[in-house]
Each structure stands twice: as structure tokens, then as C-alpha cells.
Amino acid sequence: MEVERVQEIANFSKETIPEEFIRTTYEQPALTTVQGTVLEVPVIDLSDPDEEKVVRAIVDASSNWGMFQVVNHGIPHETVRKLIEVGKAFFELPPNEKEAYAKSPGSQSIEGYGTKLQREVEGKKAWVDHLFHKIWPPSEINYQFWPKNPPSYRKNNEEYAKHMHGVVDKLFRCLSLGLGLEGNEMKEAMGGDNMVYLLKINYYPQCPRPDLALGVPAHTDMCAITVLVPNDVQGLQACKDDHWYDVEYIPNALIVHIGDQVEIVSNGKYKSVLHRAKVNKEKTRISWPVFVEPPSDLEVGPHPKLVNEANPPKFKSKKYSQYCFCKLNKTPQ
Ligand code: OGA
Ligand code: NI
């Protein structure tokens, strides 16, 4: 099957965009963004020695926004710069070299290079191509989907994956303490060291009508948490109290999204954030979210220590794979 990559469409769309990329008026970013607002997602310094303060900030951000940025997170800036460099270089390869990593049609796995094939419910398409591959644990990695070109792709991604653990562990510890649990209990509820780190590269080519199109439509992430590195082109938006706000680009910060599984384990205290991504007229935007997920056969539900007669469970317990299946097929959870 011939698949049209958005990168190719962008090459010949200089003034207008194909109709299927034009959003309804309920979604068009130019019509639905709160302009000139000072409201911003919280920025948290992870190196602050006052752990209680960090926990309070994370609880506050996770309950009110479901999203925050972290600075002084311990991942060397050079490691992030090299992650960005090789991902960008992959997408700048000629089409046939990228197609060697294409997800095969009909494959059950999410991994590989691709463009969303099926249109969304309203029949619209998103202005983005992507590459998915797991980066942790080693037993889950399929190097078939890791680009061999540029040659340092693998080394740079392994380096990033190695440094991610420190940030992820710290985030889960704070989220856990903030619920009155022991420091390790939130992580354990997500599968402990068996959690899977799935990297996605979103490649949003420049778009002549960023007022009409979206890179990613509104959604919440299915995973436990997402840790995202953007390039320096602003585009991410968060929804708070039914309004859309731009998330500021902060050099060297990581963006953390609370995903559905953390909302479920916390029995609704933390909120998975509704977010979307805009595209840019002059510049290509690229982002590297890592979705930190429970193993697919792990059953996830509200933590037993957080439910009682006065606080009944607000969510069903189910295997993570089952949760994803229902969400992707839009059947009730
Ligand atoms: C995603 C996503 C946002 C971004 O891929 O799930 O929300 O900033 N991306 O690219
Ligand atoms: Ni997302």
C-alpha cells in the first residue's frame, strides 16, 4: 500500500494544505487558544535538596495540570543534544532510507517509522510522521527499528535511556510520597523495574496553515508518565479548565505528562493531562516523548491503600494491554 508521508506532502504544499488536514472550528488552534495569557505549567527544580518541597510542587502540578516541566533533572545537556541530533538526521535521510524502517501494514506492534493510516473520527489527519521504538528494558528492545544511519543513533539513544532512569525513579518516588504511600509503591504498582520505556519521535514538517492544522489532536497519554524532549520550536499545548494554553519552550527542561495509569493508581488524585501539538509555518518541530508504561500483562487499578468505604475505587482494574485495546478501539473502559 502506498502511504503518503506528511514530510512529502509538506514539500509541495507551499500555500494551502489538503482538505483532510483542515480541522473543524472546534479544534482549529487559531480559534481555540487563549491568547496572551500568563498562565503557565509549573516548572520544578528536581535538584532542590528540600524533598518535601519538590513533592508538594509535583503533587500540586499533577493534581491541577497533569503536566509540568523539570529543570536540573540530572540528564546531561550534551546527552539530550546528541539525542536530538541523531533523530533529526534520521528524518532528513532520503525517503527510501526511512522506509526501510516502516511499520509493516497489519503488524500488531506499534514500533517502526510511520504515518497514522486511519483517519480520526471526524475524518481528519494530523500533520506529523513518527518513529517508535522501545529503549528499555533490554529484553524488550527490537533493534530492527533503530536506525543504523546516522551511525551514532544507537549509542546516543542508549546513553539517553541510561540517564532516564534517575529522572523516572525520582518522579515516581515523589508521586508516591505525595499520596501518603511509601516511596517505592507507585513504581511497584506500575511493574517496578519491568516498566517499558517506549520512545517516539514526532516529526512535524513546516506547514503553510498552522492556524488550521494540528500536529497531534487532543488526547491523554495511555501510559503511566511521559517524559518529553522538544526541539526549540514551541508547539505543545495543555488544556486546563476547558481552555488551551501554550506550553512555554524552556531550554534544557524536560516536559512531564501524567498519563492515564498514574491517574488510575492514584484513584483520580492526579489527572492525566489533555494535550495537543500545533505546527509551525517556518520551522520543523520535532519532539521525543518517552512513554513509561506498565508491562502489557500487568493488572493496573487504584492502589489498595488509597481505597476504602469512604473512597471507593473510581476506575476498574485491568491489564494494561486491555486498557490500551479499549482506548484505541473507543470502547468503554
Ligand atoms: C504525543 C504528544 C506532543 C508534542 O506524541 O503523545 O502528545 O509536543 N506529543 O509533540
Ligand atoms: Ni501525548
Side-chain angles (χ1 to χ4, degrees):
M1 188 193 349
E2 184 76 10
V3 186
E4 276 223 288
R5 302 303 178 199
V6 175
Q7 207 174 353
E8 301 301 309
I9 295 171
N11 280 339
F12 61 76
S13 305
K14 293 301 171 206
E15 272 161 31
T16 56
I17 52 175
E19 178 274 330
E20 63 264 33
F21 290 95
I22 300 176
R23 294 281 153 181
T24 65
T25 50
Y26 299 106
E27 285 192 290
Q28 287 175 17
L31 298 177
T32 56
T33 301
V34 177
Q35 304 292 347
T37 172
V38 288
L39 211 55
E40 277 168 10
V41 313
V43 180
I44 300 171
D45 181 349
L46 279 195
S47 71
D48 192 324
D50 183 351
E51 189 177 60
E52 272 180 32
K53 188 171 146 205
V54 179
V55 169
R56 272 198 307 275
I58 290 184
V59 168
D60 198 51
S62 306
S63 317
N64 295 319
W65 281 93
M67 189 190 280
F68 48 95
Q69 307 212 41
V70 292
V71 292
N72 301 322
H73 42 69
I75 303 187
H77 299 160
E78 186 59 8
T79 302
V80 174
R81 191 192 62 73
K82 283 156 70 182
L83 173 83
I84 291 179
E85 182 180 81
V86 292
K88 179 168 180 282
F90 170 72
F91 277 92
E92 288 170 356
L93 293 175
N96 62 328
E97 285 195 54
K98 291 193 290 271
E99 293 302 334
Y101 300 90
K103 186 170 15 204
S104 42
S107 146
Q108 291 299 305
S109 157
I110 193 172
E111 291 183 279
Y113 170 63
T115 306
K116 221 174 177 181
L117 286 182
Q118 80 275 41
R119 291 177 178 210
E120 298 157 31
V121 202
E122 324 79 32
K124 296 299 172 194
K125 284 184 173 173
W127 193 263
V128 68
D129 297 324
H130 56 246
L131 174 71
F132 272 105
H133 61 70
K134 292 177 189 168
I135 56 170
W136 193 263
S139 60
E140 291 273 338
I141 292 180
N142 193 342
Y143 286 110
Q144 177 193 341
F145 298 111
W146 290 46
K148 300 206 173 26
N149 197 6
S152 49
Y153 187 92
R154 176 164 167 175
K155 185 167 66 61
N156 293 7
N157 275 262
E158 282 175 345
E159 181 75 12
Y160 182 65
K162 190 183 85 188
H163 284 288
M164 278 277 307
H165 300 301
V167 182
V168 169
D169 286 354
K170 171 108 194 175
L171 291 172
F172 277 122
R173 178 177 161 78
C174 292
L175 288 168
S176 205
L177 293 172
L179 293 169
L181 300 172
E182 300 293 328
N184 63 341
E185 286 181 303
M186 174 66 104
K187 179 174 168 181
E188 287 310 315
M190 299 294 178
D193 289 330
N194 294 326
M195 278 188 299
V196 176
Y197 291 37
L198 174 66
L199 174 83
K200 178 187 185 195
I201 305 180
N202 288 302
Y203 188 89
Y204 308 102
Q206 49 198 95
C207 176
R209 296 302 305 266
D211 52 331
L212 303 180
L214 279 176
V216 180
H219 67 284
T220 61
D221 293 347
M222 289 185 283
C223 58
I225 55 171
T226 305
V227 179
L228 181 145
V229 168
N231 73 345
D232 60 0
V233 182
Q234 196 284 327
L236 179 63
Q237 295 194 317
C239 187
K240 187 179 192 304
D241 306 329
D242 291 333
H243 293 294
W244 286 102
Y245 297 94
D246 288 325
V247 178
E248 187 194 5
Y249 167 71
I250 301 176
N252 301 316
L254 300 171
I255 300 170
V256 179
H257 303 179
I258 297 297
D260 297 345
Q261 306 310 304
V262 161
E263 174 168 321
I264 292 169
V265 169
S266 75
N267 203 28
K269 170 153 184 182
Y270 300 140
K271 304 277 185 287
S272 68
V273 62
L274 192 63
H275 57 284
R276 68 182 186 185
K278 296 187 301 181
V279 289
N280 190 283
K281 192 164 187 162
E282 278 90 33
K283 294 179 181 159
T284 295
R285 179 164 185 269
I286 318 178
S287 69
W288 286 256
V290 170
F291 303 112
V292 181
E293 307 179 318
S296 58
D297 59 356
L298 185 78
E299 194 165 302
V300 181
H303 198 284
K305 288 194 181 171
L306 302 177
V307 293
N308 51 42
E309 252 169 53
N311 297 295
K314 295 186 174 135
F315 305 90
K316 282 190 200 151
S317 298
K318 57 170 67 174
K319 284 187 178 176
Y320 181 56
S321 56
Q322 189 62 30
Y323 183 88
C324 295
F325 180 86
C326 293
K327 185 152 174 171
L328 294 172
N329 291 289
K330 301 186 170 62
T331 57
Q333 288 292 351

